Amino acid sequence: MSDDLKWTLATLDTAAEETSVPETDSGAAEPNALDRKINQYFAGAVVRKDLVKAVKGNAIVPSYVLEYLLGQYAASDDEATIQAGIDRVRDILAQHYVHRNESELVKSKIKERGRHRVIDRVSVTLNEKEDVYQAEFANLGIKGIHVDSGTVNAHQKLLVGGVWCLCDVEYFPSDEAKAVPWILGSLKPIQMSHFDFEGYLAARAEFTTEEWIDLLIQSIGFNPEMFGRRAKLLQLVRLIPFVERNYNLVELGPKGTGKSHIYSEFSPHGMLISGGEVTAPKLFVNNANGRLGLVGYWDVVAFDEFAGKKKRTDKALVDIMKNYMANKSFSRGVETLGAEASMVFVGNTSHNVAYMLKHSDLFDELPESYHDSAFLDRLHFYIPGWEVDTIRGEMFSSGYGFVVDYIAEVLKSMRNLDFSDRYQQHFTLGSDISTRDRDSIHKTFSGLMKLLYPHEQATAEEIEEILRFVIEGRKRVKDQILRIDDTMAVVKFGYSTATGTWRGVTTLEEEEHPGHYYQDSGASAHIASDPEPLAAASTVAIKAAMDEPELLYEGQRDFQENQRGVSYETLLLPYLAGATEIELQDPYIRQPHQGRNLVELLAAIASAKDPAEEVIFRLTTSEEPDTTFKQKQLLMLKEIYARAPQYGIDFHVSFSGSAHDRWIRTDTGWRINLGRGLDIFQKFEGGWMDFATSRQEFRQVREFGVAYIHEQREH
C-alpha cells in the first residue's frame, strides 16, 4: 500500500462532521432521461405506469381497460395534463363502470334516463330457436339483449369469453311478456383500432438496446432497476406468445412471482383460464353446435394453476392438445380445423430445484396425463420460475411505458413476421439438434428478436446473447424429457461461430446442481464432452481444496445471472487462508448493501483464521460523489473500523479518485481479479425472515467473473 494516503480512518470523525447534507426538495420525482426520451418518441402512446393504481380504486377491471382510458386523457409528461386526465378517468369510472353490488342502481339510471353508457364485460350467444344473437352483461346482470350480426362479425371474441366494452344501453318496456326491455344502442370494445407500425420501427432505432429493454419492462409495469439482464429477458419471454403464432410456453415456480399477471392484465388478445376448468368443447370446438372454442378467437390461451399431480384431467383433451400444439390443427368429426392461438401453462412448484432434480424432474408438479414425453416435447421454452423474484411493492414502476393496448396491437401485428433465421449469417446450430428442438429454438429466437430488435438492427454479440438464451430454454425442456423417456437421444446443445468455434450451452440449474442434474453414465459422458467447464462444479472443487492449497484452481471462473449457491466462503476464502495481510481495491464501497458485503467478507475471514492471530485488511475505495450520501458512507466505514478489531481484523481504509480495477491481493502470493468487486449479489428483500439475509448461498448473483492468479509462480 502507498504511504501517501489521502484518507485514513483516523480522519473519518472530522470528515463526517464537515460533510454537509443539503436539503432536498419534496414532491413528485422528475422524469429521468429515459422517461423524457420515451415521451419524445412515443408521445400519446405511453403513460406513467403508477397511474393505474391511482385510478383503479375498487374497480375489478384489467389494467388494459384502465390504460386505454388513461391513454385517452393522461398520455403526457405534463403534470397538469396528467392530473386532469386522472380526474377525468376517475369520473368516467365513477359514472360508467358497473360494480356488481350496484347493478340495480345502474339499471334504475338507465330506466329513468332512457339511455346510459356503461363499462362492462359483454359476451354474446346465438339463440338458435329465435335465430338471433343475444348479449349478456357480466356485472350489470342483464341478458337476452339483441345484437345485430354486423357487430358480432366485427368483434367475434364476444362469442368466446367476452370482451370489455363501452356500451350505450337503452330501456324500452314492452307489453309482450317475453320481450326484453334492454336495447343495445352502441358497443365499442376497449382496444385500439389502428397504429403506425413504421413510426414504431423508426422510433425504436432511436433507443439503445438497454433503453429499449427497460422501456418494455416498464411497459409491463416493473421498475427495470430492480432486475438484472437475465431477469429482464425472463420477463420478456412471457410476451412471446403474443408476438408468435402457435407458441407453446411453460413456467413453473414458487407462488407470488407474477406468472399469470401478463395473461390476465396485459392484453385484450389473451385469455387466462383455470387449468381445471377447461374442456375440449370450450377450448377447441363444440360438436353439438359447431361453435369454435377459445383457440379460434384468442391469440393466447393461458392455463392458470396448471400444476397439481392429483388434478383430474381429460385424457381425450390431452390428446387433442398434443395434436394442436404439434400441427396447429384439431379435428371435429371428419373435419380438421386450424388455429393460431399460443398455449401457455403456468403453475406453482412445492419443492426447490435441487429436490426436484434429485427425486424426479422439473416437470414433477404436472398432472399425470401431462407428465408425458410426447406432450412435453411440444413445449418450446421452459421459464425457470424459481429464478423469478417474488413480486414486492418496490418492484413496480413509476416510470413511463407503452399504453398496454398500444403495445398489444404492435405485438399482434408482428405475428405475421418471421425472424427465425436472423442468426444464421453469424452462427450455426449443432448438427445433432433434432427438428423439433430446432423449431422450438427458432420460434423463441424469432419472438425475442421481434420484441427487442423489430427494426432488425442487432449486432452479432446481441444476436448471440439471444441465441444462447433461447437454446437454454429448450434444453431445459429436453433434458427433463430424457429423465422421463430414456428412448430419447441425448442432444448436445450449442452452436458454431462463423469461424467454426463450437460453443456449448448449459442451463443454470445444470451448473448449480451438477451432482443431481446428471444421473446416469450417458449424462456423465455428455458433461465430459462439453468444452466449457461448469461454474458450480468448479465451486465444488474450490471447496474441496480448502485444506490443500496446492489444489487451488488458477484461471477464470464465470458465473451466470440468477445463479445460487455462491458465497465468499467458497469463492474467496480458500485463497485467503493463511494470509496475514490482505488488500482489497473496490471503488464501490459506498451504499449500505456494499458495506454489508464488506462486513460479510471480513466476518468470513475472522471466522476462518486462528482466534489468537490478527489479519491486516487494507481497503482502497472511492468517495461517494453525491454529498447527500457521502456522510453516510463515511459513517458506515467508521463503524466497520470500530468493530473490526474485536474480531481480530486490523482494518485500514484509503480513498483514491483513480481506482478503477477491482481485486484482492494477499501476502501469500494470490491475486484475485474481481469483475464486479464484492457487489456480486442481486438486491433482495432482506428481512430477518428471508433466508438470504443469513446465508449468501441462498441469494441470486449478478453475472460476473473472477480470475485467480498466483503471482509468486510467475517469477
Side-chain angles (χ1 to χ4, degrees):
M1 293 287 290
S2 173
D3 292 331
D4 56 343
L5 300 178
K6 183 178 178 182
W7 292 86
T8 67
L9 262 297
T11 66
L12 281 180
D13 281 321
T14 303
E17 291 172 2
E18 293 178 349
T19 303
S20 60
V21 181
E23 294 184 3
T24 57
D25 295 329
S26 59
E30 289 292 322
N32 60 28
L34 177 59
D35 288 332
R36 290 192 292 270
K37 190 171 184 178
I38 291 170
N39 275 282
Q40 177 185 352
Y41 289 102
F42 288 103
V46 294
V47 69
R48 219 176 69 201
K49 286 295 173 172
D50 59 336
L51 300 184
V52 172
K53 289 183 179 179
V55 302
K56 188 165 188 175
N58 61 348
I60 307 174
V61 296
S63 295
Y64 67 80
V65 174
L66 298 175
E67 290 198 16
Y68 173 86
L69 297 173
L70 288 167
Q72 305 294 309
Y73 301 102
S76 170
D77 60 351
D78 177 70
E79 197 61 38
T81 302
I82 290 173
Q83 192 56 54
I86 290 174
D87 293 341
R88 178 67 178 135
V89 173
R90 282 174 174 163
D91 181 63
I92 290 173
L93 289 174
Q95 295 296 322
H96 303 291
Y97 173 72
V98 181
H99 294 271
R100 288 182 185 271
N101 59 354
E102 297 179 353
S103 60
E104 292 303 318
L105 177 61
V106 177
K107 289 179 188 177
S108 176
K109 285 183 180 180
I110 300 172
K111 178 184 184 302
E112 297 302 323
R113 299 176 182 178
R115 183 185 184 99
H116 183 63
R117 177 163 292 180
V118 301
I119 299 174
D120 202 348
R121 188 176 185 89
V122 182
S123 57
V124 172
T125 57
L126 173 63
N127 185 329
E128 296 95 336
K129 292 182 179 179
E130 299 182 17
D131 191 30
V132 294
Y133 290 107
Q134 296 177 328
E136 179 177 353
F137 286 66
N139 289 354
L140 190 55
I142 61 176
K143 57 185 177 180
I145 306 174
H146 286 202
V147 185
D148 64 88
S149 296
T151 299
V152 175
N153 290 331
H155 310 293
Q156 293 192 350
K157 288 179 183 176
L158 290 167
L159 294 165
V160 187
V163 177
W164 283 91
C165 301
L166 287 167
C167 299
D168 287 321
V169 181
E170 302 174 5
Y171 183 81
F172 190 80
S174 170
D175 293 334
E176 296 181 23
K178 294 184 178 181
V180 176
W182 310 106
I183 299 173
L184 184 62
S186 67
L187 180 148
K188 181 183 179 182
I190 295 180
Q191 57 190 82
M192 286 185 63
S193 58
H194 67 279
F195 72 99
D196 179 10
F197 185 61
E198 293 302 321
Y200 174 80
L201 296 181
R204 164 62 184 97
E206 301 296 331
F207 290 77
T208 66
T209 299
E210 285 292 339
E211 290 173 336
W212 186 254
I213 290 176
D214 286 354
L215 168 53
L216 292 176
I217 293 297
Q218 288 186 177
S219 295
I220 60 179
F222 291 126
N223 178 1
E225 294 182 2
M226 300 297 295
F227 297 82
R229 179 63 164 244
R230 179 179 171 91
K232 292 175 185 177
L233 291 180
L234 289 175
Q235 290 289 341
L236 295 181
V237 169
R238 292 171 171 173
L239 299 181
I240 295 179
F242 293 101
V243 79
E244 280 290 316
R245 292 188 179 119
N246 301 102
Y247 185 76
N248 306 321
L249 177 67
V250 64
E251 178 175 0
L252 302 176
K255 297 177 181 178
T257 56
K259 292 184 287 295
S260 60
H261 170 79
I262 287 290
Y263 312 107
S264 63
E265 300 282 332
F266 181 76
S267 171
H269 305 303
M271 170 62 71
L272 179 70
I273 57 177
S274 172
E277 295 178 359
V278 67
T279 62
K282 181 177 181 179
L283 188 60
F284 293 105
V285 67
N286 189 324
N287 283 334
N289 55 26
R291 185 181 302 153
L292 275 177
L294 297 172
V295 297
Y297 297 96
W298 297 91
D299 289 351
V300 179
V301 178
F303 300 82
D304 195 13
E305 301 174 355
F306 189 68
K309 287 183 178 182
K310 297 181 179 179
K311 279 190 175 181
R312 296 178 60 184
T313 55
D314 182 353
K315 186 64 169 64
L317 173 62
V318 178
D319 292 337
I320 298 173
M321 198 177 292
K322 286 181 190 177
N323 186 61
Y324 173 74
M325 291 168 65
N327 305 315
K328 310 171 189 176
S329 62
F330 53 93
S331 297
R332 184 180 74 86
V334 296
E335 185 181 7
T336 299
L337 303 173
E340 299 179 355
S342 295
M343 295 281 203
V344 179
F345 307 93
V346 297
N348 297 327
T349 55
S350 54
H351 301 291
N352 63 28
V353 176
Y355 182 95
M356 289 188 286
L357 290 175
K358 180 178 180 179
H359 297 282
S360 55
D361 56 77
L362 297 180
F363 288 112
D364 180 58
E365 301 284 349
L366 296 187
E368 185 177 348
S369 296
Y370 292 101
H371 197 262
D372 171 76
S373 60
F375 170 79
L376 299 176
D377 203 25
R378 287 152 170 77
L379 297 171
H380 298 126
F381 193 97
Y382 187 148
I383 296 178
W386 48 87
E387 289 189 39
V388 181
D389 206 356
T390 303
I391 302 301
R392 306 185 303 275
E394 65 267 26
M395 295 172 70
F396 293 108
S397 175
S398 60
Y400 285 81
F402 289 123
V403 174
V404 162
D405 196 48
Y406 172 82
I407 190 63
E409 293 305 313
V410 170
L411 301 186
K412 182 177 179 64
S413 71
M414 288 196 291
R415 287 168 74 89
N416 296 322
L417 306 177
D418 181 10
F419 283 18
S420 61
D421 63 349
R422 299 303 193 266
Y423 71 89
Q424 292 179 358
Q425 61 178 316
H426 303 290
F427 309 103
T428 304
L429 289 181
S431 58
D432 66 339
I433 294 179
S434 70
T435 300
R436 185 160 283 170
D437 293 329
R438 192 176 299 265
D439 289 345
S440 297
I441 292 168
H442 282 174
K443 287 186 77 70
T444 309
F445 179 82
S446 177
L448 274 181
M449 288 296 290
K450 283 188 273 188
L451 287 169
L452 302 184
Y453 308 103
H455 59 326
E456 301 191 62
Q457 297 176 22
T459 65
E461 291 76 16
E462 290 170 333
I463 289 174
E464 183 174 18
E465 176 191 28
I466 300 302
L467 184 61
R468 289 190 66 88
F469 183 77
V470 303
I471 292 175
E472 179 191 345
R474 174 57 186 180
K475 185 179 191 295
R476 181 172 293 108
V477 173
K478 195 58 173 286
D479 285 356
Q480 301 313 302
I481 293 175
L482 292 173
R483 291 167 168 256
I484 299 169
D485 185 353
D486 57 11
T487 64
M488 289 273 191
V490 174
V491 178
K492 187 177 180 182
F493 283 89
Y495 56 94
S496 298
T497 65
T499 60
T501 303
W502 171 259
R503 293 179 180 171
V505 175
T506 59
T507 68
L508 184 55
E509 59 272 12
E510 182 177 359
E511 300 197 7
E512 286 184 324
H513 310 288
H516 299 312
Y517 201 90
Y518 301 102
Q519 295 184 323
D520 56 40
S521 58
S524 300
H526 174 58
I527 184 174
S529 67
D530 196 321
E532 297 186 355
L534 299 177
S538 64
T539 302
V540 174
I542 292 173
K543 220 168 185 179
M546 286 283 287
D547 299 322
E548 299 181 73
E550 68 275 7
L551 298 180
L552 290 177
Y553 174 81
E554 289 189 64
Q556 178 76 19
R557 300 289 187 200
D558 294 309
F559 296 82
Q560 293 189 46
E561 182 182 328
N562 289 350
Q563 191 166 334
R564 288 189 174 91
V566 181
S567 67
Y568 296 155
E569 182 179 356
T570 57
L571 190 71
L572 302 176
L573 209 55
Y575 297 86
L576 307 182
T580 58
E581 186 168 345
I582 300 170
E583 300 175 52
L584 166 65
Q585 178 173 292
D586 188 337
Y588 297 100
I589 307 295
R590 301 174 179 177
Q591 302 301 317
H593 75 278
Q594 295 164 341
R596 181 196 65 209
N597 292 336
L598 175 60
V599 169
E600 289 178 347
L601 175 62
L602 294 175
I605 294 171
S607 66
K609 72 175 183 61
D610 185 336
E613 301 295 336
E614 286 189 348
V615 171
I616 299 171
F617 190 97
R618 303 185 189 277
L619 167 68
T620 302
T621 189
S622 60
E623 293 181 76
E624 168 59 56
D626 188 334
T627 54
T628 304
F629 300 105
K630 180 177 178 181
Q631 185 182 40
K632 294 181 180 179
Q633 179 196 21
L634 297 177
L635 292 174
M636 176 181 73
L637 292 172
K638 178 190 173 186
E639 186 168 356
I640 296 172
Y641 167 74
R643 292 177 181 272
Q646 61 185 304
Y647 302 106
I649 303 294
D650 185 8
F651 183 67
H652 300 260
V653 66
S654 62
F655 290 84
S656 170
S658 60
H660 180 269
D661 293 340
R662 307 174 203 188
W663 46 260
I664 293 176
R665 183 179 291 148
T666 72
D667 60 355
T668 56
W670 282 105
R671 178 186 173 99
I672 308 171
N673 291 334
L674 307 168
R676 287 188 177 272
L678 298 183
D679 202 1
I680 62 174
F681 299 106
Q682 297 182 27
K683 294 180 181 179
F684 63 97
E685 191 170 3
W688 67 270
M689 290 183 290
D690 189 336
F691 286 18
T693 301
S694 302
R695 302 292 300 185
Q696 290 181 333
E697 57 265 34
F698 294 144
R699 302 173 194 167
Q700 290 179 307
V701 301
R702 303 177 180 185
E703 182 178 4
F704 74 97
V706 179
Y708 303 99
I709 305 165
H710 200 284
E711 295 176 318
Q712 289 184 347
R713 295 180 186 176
E714 296 178 354
H715 301 290

